Amino acid sequence: MSESTAVSATTESFETPLTPESLGKLGMWIFLAGDAMSFGTLLVGYAALRAASYDWPLPSEVLGIGMTAFMTFLLIVSSLTMVKGLSAIKRGDIAGLTKFLSLTILGGVIFLGLQAYEWTHLIHQGLGFSENPWGSGLFGTTFFSITGFHGMHVTGGVTYLSVVLINARKGKFSAENFNGVELVGLYWHFVDLVWILVFTFIYLI
């Protein structure tokens, strides 16, 4: 074996196994890990403030559990349509991808509409960022901070999904090229999972 051949073989053996696709997923996982810590900090802070308060209202008596349960169901269904969309493009089914992405976006938009309705209803009842007619003012602070932070993520997700949908209609995805759909799917599943935690801690417990 010549010296040049040996050098070439050594160089190839040290080539990184990361592809642009895997780098994209790695970047998304790092972003989601940071976001998970942000939500975790908010929920731990909520638990600490609630435990230290003597007049924290019972969420089931103040918040609309029925409607938020439906909002939770809506996000779970939207995760399923996201899975169906990814499955469709893996088969090269562009029409299926656009249909299920559209349904996922619709689920997110309805969720945001219901959240806006809930906020408006509670504000009209006297709940504010530092005002609470049922007890501790920190109840309103934590409620609007946590649900608002999650709502921003849903808004970002709907925007992200819309961009992917536009690209899908332009034919930028195929059975061999669907990394962009996988990435937005990771983000959307994360947003849905976090909402289940928010719903449990803020509304049910």
Side-chain angles (χ1 to χ4, degrees):
M1 179 184 295
S2 68
E3 184 176 346
S4 61
T5 303
V7 170
S8 175
T10 303
T11 303
E12 288 178 2
S13 67
F14 284 103
E15 282 185 352
T16 172
L18 294 175
T19 63
E21 289 77 15
S22 61
L23 282 173
K25 288 179 185 174
L26 178 62
M28 178 60 78
W29 278 115
I30 292 173
F31 170 75
L32 295 181
D35 233 14
M37 286 189 280
S38 299
F39 276 106
T41 301
L42 285 171
L43 291 174
V44 169
Y46 168 84
L49 290 172
R50 180 172 175 177
S53 174
Y54 64 90
D55 60 348
W56 199 271
L58 192 62
S60 61
E61 296 178 353
V62 178
L63 305 175
I65 304 300
M67 189 180 75
T68 44
F70 174 71
M71 291 163 65
T72 305
F73 172 75
L74 199 60
L75 282 188
I76 292 172
V77 171
S78 73
S79 264
L80 294 177
T81 55
M82 187 67 242
V83 170
K84 296 287 286 182
L86 179 59
S87 175
I89 192 59
K90 284 182 175 178
R91 300 191 307 272
D93 181 3
I94 299 292
L97 172 63
T98 57
K99 179 180 73 176
F100 287 114
L101 280 178
S102 299
L103 290 173
T104 306
I105 293 169
L106 179 62
V109 169
I110 294 174
F111 177 90
L112 290 172
L114 291 175
Q115 188 170 56
Y117 172 81
E118 178 193 33
W119 276 33
T120 303
H121 177 70
L122 290 172
I123 290 170
H124 283 166
Q125 287 189 311
L127 184 66
F129 196 74
S130 59
E131 300 169 347
N132 176 18
W134 305 291
S136 172
L138 289 174
F139 176 77
T141 307
T142 53
F143 173 80
F144 286 115
S145 296
I146 295 174
T147 59
F149 190 49
H150 179 267
M152 288 171 57
H153 280 71
V154 176
T155 304
V158 168
T159 305
Y160 190 4
L161 284 163
S162 299
V163 172
V164 173
L165 176 61
I166 291 170
N167 287 332
R169 286 179 172 168
K170 290 180 178 177
K172 293 189 177 180
F173 300 113
S174 66
E176 294 76 32
N177 175 28
F178 50 82
N179 187 56
V181 181
E182 280 191 314
L183 291 180
V184 75
L186 282 175
Y187 179 84
W188 192 251
H189 295 319
F190 170 79
V191 169
D192 295 352
L193 176 62
V194 167
W195 174 255
I196 292 173
L197 296 176
V198 170
F199 177 60
T200 302
F201 277 89
I202 305 297
Y203 291 84
L204 297 183
I205 297 178

